[in-house]
Amino acid sequence: MNQISRSILAFIVSPIVPIVLLSIFVLGIDKFLQALPLVAFFSYLITVFVALPIYGVMLWKQWLKWWHFAILGVLPALSLDLFGWLSSLGSEGSFITVRQHGIDLIIEGKRTLAGYIYLAARLIFYSLTGIGAGVLFWFIAHRGHALTRPLN
């Protein structure tokens, strides 16, 4: 299998990691199948518009070690949160209250301690799914080069 075929296969297979994990995260394991189509749609959309350009830069810079894929796999996973944060910079502060499972995360536009803990846990979870997808991508597309390349 040539490099292009392995890369295409990796772009098809590696988003399965965040699709499965985020589908469970969104609605829980009992309603996993309800969240799956929506999460899959956004995962492949992010793959095309965020991960594909990152991969082009990685090829250009020759960043092809597994840890490059692990580190840069975090960017697509956090891209929706980053986009939301950037789009909120110019907006006026709103007086909303957000509750989840009976716990106040945001009260009148101010994040609570529980809100910061939830945000940190969510960002860590998203980052880990990105790392998993990045390493899986490397395993499919570039592992063979790492095994067959002569040592210096």
Side-chain angles (χ1 to χ4, degrees):
M1 185 181 279
N2 65 14
Q3 181 60 50
I4 294 172
S5 299
R6 285 194 309 267
S7 295
I8 290 170
L9 180 64
F11 273 113
I12 293 169
V13 173
S14 62
I16 292 173
V17 172
I19 288 170
V20 169
L21 294 176
L22 291 173
S23 293
I24 293 170
F25 180 75
V26 170
L27 292 178
I29 199 146
D30 54 328
K31 296 182 181 179
F32 166 76
L33 293 177
Q34 291 175 338
L36 192 66
L38 183 64
V39 173
F41 172 76
F42 281 108
S43 292
Y44 282 108
L45 194 68
I46 290 169
T47 297
V48 169
F49 289 108
V50 179
L52 188 59
I54 290 171
Y55 183 59
V57 170
M58 291 174 72
L59 288 174
W60 176 57
K61 293 285 197 175
Q62 292 297 304
W63 295 340
L64 303 175
K65 298 201 181 329
W66 70 269
W67 54 273
H68 290 126
F69 286 90
I71 291 170
L72 293 172
V74 171
L75 294 177
L78 294 179
S79 62
L80 284 179
D81 276 346
L82 182 61
F83 177 75
W85 179 74
L86 289 174
S87 65
S88 71
L89 286 179
S91 65
E92 302 269 333
S94 59
F95 293 99
I96 61 167
T97 299
V98 177
R99 293 189 85 151
Q100 189 169 17
H101 304 293
I103 299 171
D104 290 326
L105 301 178
I106 299 173
I107 299 175
E108 295 182 5
K110 305 258 192 246
R111 194 173 299 273
T112 64
L113 178 60
Y116 282 112
I117 291 170
Y118 174 77
L119 177 65
R122 188 181 77 206
L123 293 177
I124 290 169
F125 178 74
Y126 288 178
S127 297
L128 290 174
T129 63
I131 289 169
V135 170
L136 179 60
F137 188 98
W138 170 83
F139 187 82
I140 294 169
H142 293 281
R143 180 177 171 265
H145 291 298
L147 296 177
T148 59
R149 195 173 342 162
L151 297 173
N152 292 335

